[in-house]
Amino acid sequence: LSFSEDCSVRRTPARMAMIGGGGGAFIGPVHRRAAALDGVVTIVAGAFSSDRSRNAETGRSLGLDPQRVYSSYDALFEREAARPADERPDFVCIVTPNHLHAPVAMAALSHGFPVFCEKPLTRDLPDARELCALADATGLPVGVAYTYLGYPLVHEARRLVQAGTIGTVRRVDVRYTQGWLSQPIERSGNAQAAWRMDARTAGIAGAVGDIGVHAQSLVEFVSGEQITEVSADLRQTVRGRELDDDCSMLLRLTNGVRGTLAASQICAGDDNRLEVSVYGESGGIHWAQERPDRLILNVAGQPKRHITCDAALVGEPARSMLRLPAGHPEGYLEAFANLYLEFVGRISGGKSWAGLSHHDGLRSMAFIKAVIQSGAGNGRWRTIQA
Ligand SMILES: NC(=O)c1ccc[n+]([C@@H]2O[C@H](COP(=O)([O-])OP(=O)(O)OC[C@H]3O[C@@H](n4cnc5c(N)ncnc54)[C@H](O)[C@@H]3O)[C@@H](O)[C@H]2O)c1
């Protein structure tokens, strides 16, 4: 089944309750737009903000029944779980800062709700292990929002690597660089920066937890290899920060593959520069998220190819992830919408796709821990142990 066919096993849209994503938030509204794109999700309840008036205002702006807009996630789970089966939320979406992911997800699972959670899965590895144990015990699906696995050409790149187009994989290079934290904007009223640079709300890592995990999940997904060891160089470039804002590392992956990963938020002038390269014995494949509708395939001895989003020219599953004819660019919202198709398919008994489960979220938390330990140990190699 294609992703959209998976979802069509549902007669009615999946009912979603959202925690976080109140007025002024970044990713909550992105989730709501993406979830609405294909008509497979409808939002029915929320606890959007710890600020009372913002919470109510968000509920109003979404046209929700005020009775289903709650001042706390605990109240939401208790009351919504008691509703009749045809009204209850089918799943809970978590778009709060990182420190709340684990408590909210554990409470949701305990009330019988599947969970679609933002990355990183938790603040630290012990929390992730506990959450995964509960998810496994309940058998309820947990999805993690690795946005970049929602792009059709990322799947095409993986397919081409798996098909042997570039030969046996030898090397990977992935960078995720942004410039928005080049200055200490967390001290001048930027709420998104403030919680990201505070260990109480972000967890044990700064840039590595915020964007490094996207790079890690992307490079593992495309190459088909897992990072086993890291040697990391981390720093707090901006004076006064307690968490890393700039990180470079060497990677060792399964099957003898080697590589590099950079995750930095002090690269002044960069916007959202996530770029991945995978090299095999006979060629390389390259994808950049700021140009997501192009895949570059260079096979030694052949003309270089630019693969575009043309459903007639790409294989499955990329073909069924595209919504528009060739030449009509699709991007970030469509990628997010693909994650919703996958997750709604999964909770409706459809097939799931690799890279988006709580076990993948746990792997990222083990990756973060190894990176932080390696950085603290002057780059000593550390093994990733979930
Ligand atoms: N997948 C991606 O590409 C991507 C991109 C950006 C952010 N994120 C992740 O999304 C999460 C949110 O990031 P953001 O940039 O949107 O942050 P944000 O600060 O813009 O939004 C957080 C929201 O959570 C709300 N909140 C805080 N405490 C709450 C509580 N107790 N109950 C209910 N709501 C509460 C805040 O009021 C706010 O509305 C983070 O975990 C971040 O890592 C992921």
Side-chain angles (χ1 to χ4, degrees):
L1 287 182
S2 71
F3 302 120
S4 45
E5 281 165 342
D6 261 6
C7 287
S8 68
V9 297
R10 297 190 66 85
R11 296 227 179 81
T12 53
R15 291 179 297 274
M16 172 169 83
M18 179 171 269
I19 313 298
F26 167 39
I27 212 69
V30 170
H31 276 254
R32 291 195 290 266
R33 291 183 184 113
L37 195 65
D38 297 294
V40 298
V41 175
T42 183
I43 182 164
V44 294
F48 301 104
S49 172
S50 40
D51 178 296
R52 224 180 162 72
S53 65
R54 246 183 222 188
N55 185 40
E57 179 45 38
T58 305
R60 260 195 305 278
S61 73
L62 296 170
L64 293 186
D65 175 354
Q67 301 294 318
R68 301 185 79 173
V69 178
Y70 299 88
S71 56
S72 78
Y73 64 85
D74 282 325
L76 184 149
F77 295 145
E78 205 165 306
R79 304 247 290 279
E80 290 292 325
R83 283 186 177 269
D86 61 347
E87 287 180 14
R88 269 174 67 110
D90 292 302
F91 72 100
V92 170
C93 169
I94 304 173
V95 284
T96 61
N98 306 348
H99 67 303
L100 292 169
H101 294 179
V104 177
M106 307 244 317
L109 292 169
S110 303
H111 284 85
F113 297 115
V115 167
F116 186 55
C117 186
E118 261 305 343
K119 47 47 62 180
L121 183 60
T122 56
R123 284 176 44 183
D124 58 23
L125 187 55
D127 278 4
R129 287 192 179 129
E130 205 182 329
L131 171 55
C132 285
L134 181 63
D136 288 341
T138 61
L140 292 166
V142 176
V144 185
Y146 288 115
T147 314
Y148 304 98
L149 304 196
Y151 283 89
L153 290 187
V154 165
H155 285 252
E156 182 66 356
R158 176 179 162 93
R159 186 188 73 80
L160 289 167
V161 171
Q162 279 175 352
T165 314
I166 59 169
T168 303
V169 176
R170 289 169 156 175
R171 180 184 173 90
V172 297
D173 294 284
V174 62
R175 63 177 293 155
Y176 196 161
T177 54
Q178 302 178 329
W180 72 290
L181 294 177
S182 293
Q183 303 297 328
I185 57 170
E186 65 272 25
R187 283 171 242 155
S188 52
N190 185 309
Q192 271 101 10
W195 73 252
R196 280 176 169 82
M197 281 299 149
D198 182 338
R200 288 167 303 181
T201 41
I204 63 170
V208 173
D210 200 33
I211 57 175
V213 294
H214 279 304
Q216 167 257 324
S217 90
L218 178 66
V219 78
E220 292 189 348
F221 187 78
V222 174
S223 69
E225 305 292 346
Q226 292 200 325
I227 302 169
T228 53
E229 288 174 86
V230 292
S231 164
D233 182 26
L234 264 71
R235 65 174 171 168
Q236 296 85 31
T237 315
V238 171
R239 201 184 293 268
R241 281 192 176 149
E242 63 175 331
L243 297 175
D244 59 283
D245 56 16
D246 182 41
C247 174
S248 311
M249 69 188 87
L250 298 176
L251 308 175
R252 290 178 182 154
L253 297 92
T254 42
N255 291 313
V257 176
R258 300 287 170 104
T260 64
L261 186 154
S264 176
Q265 294 176 308
I266 53 97
C267 291
D270 276 8
D271 291 324
N272 202 41
R273 195 168 168 202
L274 171 60
E275 299 176 359
V276 64
S277 293
V278 176
Y279 297 94
E281 284 174 348
S282 52
I285 199 154
H286 312 271
W287 181 80
Q289 97 87 31
E290 290 186 353
R291 197 81 206 272
D293 54 352
R294 291 275 185 287
L295 191 60
I296 297 173
L297 175 63
N298 298 333
V299 176
Q302 294 180 17
K304 299 189 184 330
R305 288 170 61 190
H306 282 214
I307 296 167
T308 57
C309 285
D310 184 336
L313 300 178
V314 296
E316 287 293 352
R319 181 181 303 141
S320 61
M321 295 169 76
L322 290 162
R323 292 171 181 74
L324 296 169
H328 298 73
E330 299 183 36
Y332 193 66
L333 286 175
E334 288 87 352
F336 245 109
N338 286 332
L339 298 190
Y340 272 96
L341 287 178
E342 192 270 352
F343 188 70
V344 171
R346 203 178 339 156
I347 62 172
S348 312
K351 268 193 315 190
S352 59
W353 105 62
L356 298 173
S357 78
H358 52 289
H359 295 291
D360 300 299
L362 176 65
R363 259 196 71 66
S364 290
M365 298 313 301
F367 165 76
I368 292 172
K369 182 176 178 195
V371 171
I372 297 294
Q373 286 182 334
S374 174
N378 204 22
R380 192 155 68 84
W381 284 96
R382 300 296 304 215
T383 303
I384 295 175
Q385 280 173 326

